[in-house]
Coordinates of all heavy atoms in Angstrom, one line a residue:
A113 N -5.6 7.0 7.5 CA -6.7 7.4 6.6 C -6.3 7.5 5.1 O -7.1 7.5 4.2 CB -7.3 8.7 7.1
H114 N -4.9 7.6 4.9 CA -4.4 7.7 3.5 C -3.7 6.4 3.1 O -3.0 5.8 3.9 CB -3.4 8.9 3.5 CG -4.0 10.2 3.9 ND1 -4.2 10.5 5.2 CD2 -4.6 11.2 3.2 CE1 -4.8 11.7 5.3 NE2 -5.0 12.1 4.0
H115 N -3.9 6.0 1.9 CA -3.3 4.8 1.4 C -1.8 4.7 1.5 O -1.1 5.7 1.2 CB -3.7 4.6 -0.1 CG -3.1 3.4 -0.8 ND1 -2.4 3.5 -2.0 CD2 -3.0 2.1 -0.4 CE1 -2.0 2.3 -2.3 NE2 -2.3 1.5 -1.4
G116 N -1.3 3.6 2.0 CA 0.2 3.4 2.2 C 0.9 3.1 0.9 O 1.5 2.1 0.7
D117 N 0.8 4.1 -0.1 CA 1.3 3.9 -1.4 C 2.8 3.6 -1.6 O 3.2 2.8 -2.3 CB 0.8 5.1 -2.3 CG 1.4 6.4 -1.8 OD1 1.7 6.5 -0.6 OD2 1.4 7.4 -2.6
G118 N 3.6 4.4 -0.8 CA 5.0 4.2 -0.9 C 5.5 2.9 -0.5 O 6.4 2.3 -1.1
V119 N 4.9 2.3 0.5 CA 5.3 1.0 1.0 C 4.8 -0.1 0.0 O 5.5 -1.0 -0.3 CB 4.8 0.7 2.4 CG1 5.3 -0.6 2.9 CG2 5.2 1.9 3.3
E120 N 3.6 0.0 -0.4 CA 3.0 -1.0 -1.3 C 3.9 -1.0 -2.6 O 4.2 -2.1 -3.1 CB 1.6 -0.6 -1.7 CG 1.0 -1.6 -2.7 CD -0.5 -1.2 -3.1 OE1 -1.3 -1.1 -2.2 OE2 -0.7 -1.0 -4.3
D121 N 4.2 0.1 -3.2 CA 5.0 0.1 -4.4 C 6.4 -0.4 -4.2 O 7.0 -1.0 -5.1 CB 5.0 1.5 -5.0 CG 3.7 2.0 -5.5 OD1 2.8 1.1 -5.6 OD2 3.6 3.2 -5.9
A122 N 7.0 -0.2 -3.0 CA 8.3 -0.7 -2.8 C 8.4 -2.2 -2.7 O 9.5 -2.7 -3.0 CB 8.8 -0.1 -1.4
F123 N 7.3 -2.8 -2.4 CA 7.3 -4.3 -2.3 C 6.4 -4.9 -3.3 O 5.8 -6.0 -3.1 CB 7.0 -4.7 -0.9 CG 8.0 -4.3 0.1 CD1 7.8 -3.1 0.9 CD2 9.2 -5.0 0.2 CE1 8.8 -2.7 1.8 CE2 10.2 -4.5 1.1 CZ 10.0 -3.4 1.9
F124 N 6.2 -4.3 -4.5 CA 5.3 -4.8 -5.5 C 5.8 -6.2 -5.9 O 7.0 -6.4 -6.2 CB 5.4 -3.8 -6.7 CG 4.4 -4.2 -7.8 CD1 3.2 -3.5 -7.8 CD2 4.7 -5.1 -8.8 CE1 2.2 -3.8 -8.8 CE2 3.7 -5.4 -9.8 CZ 2.5 -4.8 -9.8
N125 N 4.9 -7.1 -5.9 CA 5.2 -8.5 -6.3 C 6.3 -9.2 -5.5 O 7.0 -10.1 -6.0 CB 5.6 -8.5 -7.8 CG 5.4 -9.9 -8.5 OD1 4.5 -10.6 -8.1 ND2 6.1 -10.2 -9.5
D126 N 6.5 -8.7 -4.3 CA 7.5 -9.3 -3.4 C 6.8 -10.4 -2.5 O 6.0 -10.1 -1.7 CB 8.1 -8.2 -2.5 CG 9.3 -8.7 -1.7 OD1 9.3 -9.9 -1.2 OD2 10.2 -7.9 -1.5
E127 N 7.3 -11.6 -2.7 CA 6.6 -12.8 -2.0 C 6.9 -12.8 -0.5 O 6.3 -13.5 0.2 CB 7.1 -14.1 -2.6 CG 8.6 -14.4 -2.5 CD 9.0 -15.7 -3.1 OE1 8.2 -16.2 -3.9 OE2 10.2 -16.1 -2.9
N128 N 7.9 -11.9 -0.1 CA 8.3 -11.9 1.3 C 7.6 -10.9 2.2 O 7.5 -11.0 3.4 CB 9.8 -11.7 1.5 CG 10.6 -12.8 0.9 OD1 10.4 -14.0 1.2 ND2 11.6 -12.5 0.0
V129 N 7.0 -9.9 1.5 CA 6.4 -8.8 2.3 C 5.0 -8.6 1.7 O 4.8 -8.2 0.5 CB 7.2 -7.4 2.2 CG1 6.5 -6.3 2.9 CG2 8.6 -7.7 2.7
F130 N 4.0 -8.8 2.5 CA 2.6 -8.6 2.1 C 2.0 -7.3 2.7 O 2.1 -7.2 4.0 CB 1.8 -9.8 2.5 CG 0.4 -9.9 1.9 CD1 0.3 -10.6 0.7 CD2 -0.7 -9.3 2.4 CE1 -1.0 -10.7 0.0 CE2 -1.9 -9.4 1.8 CZ -2.1 -10.1 0.6
T131 N 1.5 -6.4 1.9 CA 1.0 -5.1 2.5 C -0.5 -5.1 2.4 O -1.1 -5.6 1.5 CB 1.6 -3.9 1.7 OG1 1.1 -3.9 0.4 CG2 3.1 -3.9 1.6
I132 N -1.1 -4.6 3.5 CA -2.5 -4.4 3.6 C -2.8 -3.0 4.1 O -2.2 -2.5 5.1 CB -3.1 -5.4 4.7 CG1 -2.7 -6.8 4.4 CG2 -4.6 -5.2 4.8 CD1 -3.1 -7.8 5.5
S133 N -3.6 -2.3 3.3 CA -3.9 -0.9 3.7 C -5.4 -0.7 3.8 O -6.2 -1.0 2.8 CB -3.3 0.0 2.6 OG -3.6 1.4 2.9
V134 N -5.9 -0.1 4.9 CA -7.2 0.3 5.1 C -7.2 1.8 5.1 O -6.6 2.4 6.0 CB -7.8 -0.3 6.4 CG1 -9.3 0.1 6.6 CG2 -7.7 -1.8 6.5
H135 N -8.0 2.4 4.2 CA -7.9 3.9 4.1 C -9.2 4.4 3.5 O -10.0 3.7 3.0 CB -6.7 4.2 3.1 CG -6.7 3.4 1.9 ND1 -6.1 2.2 1.8 CD2 -7.3 3.6 0.7 CE1 -6.3 1.7 0.6 NE2 -7.0 2.6 -0.1
E136 N -9.3 5.7 3.6 CA -10.5 6.4 3.1 C -10.6 6.4 1.6 O -9.6 6.8 1.0 CB -10.7 7.8 3.7 CG -12.0 8.5 3.3 CD -12.1 9.9 3.8 OE1 -11.4 10.2 4.8 OE2 -12.9 10.6 3.2
A137 N -11.6 5.9 1.0 CA -11.8 5.9 -0.4 C -11.9 7.4 -1.0 O -12.4 8.2 -0.3 CB -13.1 5.2 -0.8
G138 N -11.3 7.6 -2.1 CA -11.4 8.9 -2.7 C -10.5 10.0 -2.1 O -10.7 11.2 -2.4
R139 N -9.6 9.6 -1.2 CA -8.8 10.6 -0.6 C -7.3 10.5 -1.1 O -6.9 9.5 -1.6 CB -8.8 10.4 0.9 CG -8.0 11.5 1.7 CD -8.4 11.6 3.2 NE -9.7 12.0 3.3 CZ -10.1 13.3 3.2 NH1 -9.3 14.2 2.9 NH2 -11.4 13.6 3.4
W140 N -6.6 11.7 -1.1 CA -5.2 11.6 -1.5 C -4.5 10.5 -0.9 O -4.7 10.2 0.3 CB -4.5 13.0 -1.1 CG -3.2 13.2 -1.7 CD1 -2.9 13.8 -2.9 CD2 -1.9 12.6 -1.2 NE1 -1.5 13.7 -3.1 CE2 -0.9 13.0 -2.1 CE3 -1.6 11.9 -0.1 CZ2 0.4 12.7 -2.0 CZ3 -0.3 11.5 0.1 CH2 0.7 11.9 -0.8

């Protein structure tokens, strides 16, 4: 329910790892 922020940021602009997060809008 919470955005996977730490993983997304760890692989920012990384062509080998694509992150997809489904989470509740407006939540921490």
Side-chain angles (χ1 to χ4, degrees):
H114 302 82
H115 177 230
D117 56 340
V119 183
E120 179 182 301
D121 289 351
F123 295 100
F124 190 95
N125 203 28
D126 188 322
E127 64 182 10
N128 295 310
V129 181
F130 195 89
T131 67
I132 306 170
S133 180
V134 182
H135 49 270
E136 185 179 338
R139 183 160 296 283
W140 190 93

